[in-house]
Amino acid sequence: MLADGLADLIGAEATVFADTPAERDPTLGGLAGTTYGFALQSFRESRQELMLFSPYFIPGESGLAGLREARKFGIAVRVITNSLGATDEPQASLAYERYRVPLLQMGVELYEVSSIQVRRDEATSRVFGASRAQLHAKLALIDRRAVLLGSMNLDQRSATTNTEMVLLIRSPELAREILSWFNSKERAEVRGSYQVRLKPDGRSLQWVALLGEGRSETLDEDPEFDLWERLRLWLISLFVPESLL
């Protein structure tokens, strides 16, 4: 790459932000001066579209308020996270599910990566082989002109407990390449996921299996629902505060 003049690299302005353990002291309160606060401030720069990729997505009341404000100004908000069947942290997924209806009611688009759906598609199943397909990337695209990526999930643990680090890279070219890799420049290209939507009653959910090339299949019941597993997770959740998820 050096001999070729770094032709394959993308030059762009980047800002790095990292937490220190002292800033994670819960007695100090607030998000000012933290990686999570820096990310929220970056999201506020959006004027058209905010795409959030997070393996664990638990917005909390403050996150809901921020997304509600974005929707009030007509900003398209799209969230991509793991389904319960794809996640390696089912307690976090169960907590996320409590926010689906309020998010959808305010006009946020929700997409859930699914191992079942990935294996239905020949191209994506070749990529993952025998391993379980799941989203692990932690990034955000702001108006498809800037990319925020790093160690931070959009959950309460990253907001209040963990020390995290992120990069804010201002590069439309990099944003285009990332979306191309995720097959998500256009909704018709997306595959390996469900889009979660509200039914006409505005309170219950339906799942649209995205099959690529504009094809889809609508399901009125949770395709990865397991009554006994959810009961077990609910019982455990009584002893796990959301702030630690």
Side-chain angles (χ1 to χ4, degrees):
M1 291 178 68
L2 287 170
D4 292 337
L6 303 178
D8 293 331
L9 296 185
I10 298 172
E13 174 193 343
T15 302
V16 64
F17 197 100
D19 288 319
T20 65
E23 291 167 338
R24 297 286 74 193
D25 185 348
T27 63
L28 298 177
L31 297 175
T34 68
T35 294
Y36 203 87
F38 175 78
L40 294 180
Q41 187 58 46
S42 301
F43 297 162
R44 293 189 184 100
E45 296 180 10
S46 176
R47 294 295 178 268
Q48 296 175 317
E49 179 190 53
L50 185 60
M51 296 184 69
L52 306 174
F53 295 76
S54 183
Y56 320 124
F57 182 71
I58 308 173
E61 291 305 318
S62 60
L64 281 181
L67 294 175
R68 188 176 293 109
E69 181 181 5
R71 291 296 303 136
K72 183 176 69 174
F73 287 100
I75 298 169
V77 179
R78 299 180 170 94
V79 175
I80 301 89
T81 190
N82 283 315
S83 66
L84 182 60
T87 187
D88 58 351
E89 292 290 350
Q91 281 296 324
S93 186
L94 193 69
Y96 145 75
E97 290 183 357
R98 295 195 288 266
Y99 292 95
R100 288 191 297 199
V101 170
L103 285 165
L104 291 168
Q105 288 175 338
M106 69 177 70
V108 173
E109 294 181 24
L110 293 181
Y111 298 87
E112 296 179 358
V113 175
S114 162
S115 292
I116 294 174
Q117 285 302 106
V118 165
R119 303 207 179 284
R120 291 182 67 182
D121 182 77
E122 182 178 348
T124 53
S125 63
R126 283 200 304 268
V127 172
F128 289 97
S131 63
R132 183 175 64 174
Q134 62 180 218
L135 176 71
H136 193 67
K138 306 167 180 68
L139 61 93
L141 277 71
I142 303 166
D143 291 342
R144 306 197 183 196
R145 301 187 61 82
V147 180
L148 185 86
L149 61 91
S151 65
M152 185 191 75
N153 289 293
L154 296 174
D155 59 15
Q156 299 306 293
R157 188 172 183 85
S158 288
T160 63
T161 305
N162 292 352
T163 51
E164 308 285 4
M165 181 174 70
V166 295
L167 277 169
L168 177 64
I169 306 170
R170 302 185 185 279
S171 172
E173 184 180 357
L174 179 61
R176 285 194 300 270
E177 288 198 9
I178 289 173
L179 284 174
S180 177
W181 193 88
F182 276 103
N183 293 316
S184 55
K185 286 189 295 184
E186 302 294 339
R187 185 181 180 280
E189 299 174 0
V190 178
R191 62 190 67 196
S193 301
Y194 295 107
Q195 181 180 8
V196 185
R197 301 191 308 199
L198 289 175
K199 290 182 180 179
D201 63 15
R203 296 185 304 276
S204 49
L205 301 175
Q206 63 182 190
W207 288 258
V208 180
L210 303 176
L211 308 174
E213 300 175 353
R215 297 175 297 121
S216 64
E217 176 186 354
T218 301
L219 307 170
D220 288 329
E221 301 293 337
D222 189 339
E224 300 186 10
F225 182 83
D226 184 316
L227 176 61
W228 297 113
E229 174 64 7
R230 287 175 182 273
L231 178 60
R232 184 183 72 85
L233 292 173
W234 177 79
L235 290 172
I236 295 173
S237 72
L238 299 178
F239 303 94
V240 183
E242 188 175 289
S243 62
L244 294 180
L245 294 175

